[in-house]
């Protein structure tokens, strides 16, 4: 390379550096000004309009929180007869073709119709009901006896 080429190359690098510096100086500061929040000494600075919106949102959430607390207190103080309510609940149960007695017992225990799977299976086997189970849709109330269940599913 000759001297003339080196000079033009260095002038080109100088001009490119100046353009990059000026671009960063003029245009990068505009993006920082357009942001609504800024960090300063660990605090977040927010515009006044946005602060008012935040305050309104906080007030709404506090009112909703107070309503929920009131509802919880009312539900705690309300008399509950959960045992009676559970017995009154009716559950739909489907026995499909090919379900084993263990599958039926597991499903009934899963919806709290029976309390012990093994007791139900033993009752069905001891009384000869295991071979007479019929597929179909059945309605069960919680707390019914094994005998009532057997009578329903072996029609």
């Amino acid at each position: 390379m000759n001297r003339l080429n080196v000079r033009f190359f260095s002038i080109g690098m100088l001009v490119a550096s100046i353009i990059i510096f000026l671009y960063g100086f003029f245009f990068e500061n505009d993006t920082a000004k357009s942001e609504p929040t800024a960090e300063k000494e660990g605090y977040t600075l927010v515009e006044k309009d946005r602060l008012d919106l935040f305050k309104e949102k906080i007030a709404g959430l506090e009112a909703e929180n107070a309503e929920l607390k009131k509802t919880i207190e009312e539900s705690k103080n309300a008399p509950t007869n959960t045992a009676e309510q559970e017995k009154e609940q009716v559950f739909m149960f489907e026995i499909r073709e090919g379900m084993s007695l263990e599958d039926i017992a597991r499903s009934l225990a899963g919806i709290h119709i029976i309390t012990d799977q093994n007791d139900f299976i033993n009752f069905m086997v001891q009384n000869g009901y295991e071979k007479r189970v019929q597929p179909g849709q059945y309605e069960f109330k919680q707390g019914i006896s094994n005998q009532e269940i057997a009578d329903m599913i072996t029609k």
Side-chain angles (χ1 to χ4, degrees), residues 19-103:
I19 290 173
I20 291 173
F21 172 75
L22 291 175
Y23 176 79
F25 183 75
F26 287 110
F27 295 110
E28 292 297 319
N29 290 338
D30 290 342
T31 58
K33 290 179 185 176
S34 67
E35 292 181 15
T37 60
E39 294 289 327
K40 184 176 183 181
E41 297 177 10
Y43 295 100
T44 303
L45 302 176
V46 180
E47 293 176 357
K48 186 168 177 66
D49 295 338
R50 291 180 57 102
L51 182 62
D52 292 338
L53 290 173
F54 288 142
K55 286 181 180 178
E56 289 174 11
K57 195 174 215 179
I58 290 171
L61 291 173
E62 287 175 344
E64 184 180 345
N65 188 19
E67 289 176 21
L68 290 173
K69 284 183 180 179
K70 184 178 176 183
T71 305
I72 290 172
E73 287 299 320
E74 289 174 357
S75 67
K76 284 182 181 178
N77 295 335
T80 57
N81 298 330
T82 55
E84 292 174 11
Q85 290 173 351
E86 285 179 358
K87 287 187 179 187
E88 293 175 6
Q89 290 180 347
V90 176
F91 292 93
M92 291 298 297
F93 181 72
E94 179 182 6
I95 298 177
R96 292 182 299 270
E97 189 75 34
M99 284 182 78
S100 67
L101 191 56
E102 289 80 13
D103 294 336

Side-chain angles (χ1 to χ4, degrees), residues 102-117:
E102 289 80 13
D103 294 336
I104 295 169
R106 188 178 320 109
S107 298
L108 289 173
I111 58 174
H112 305 292
I113 301 297
I114 60 173
T115 55
D116 189 4
Q117 295 177 32

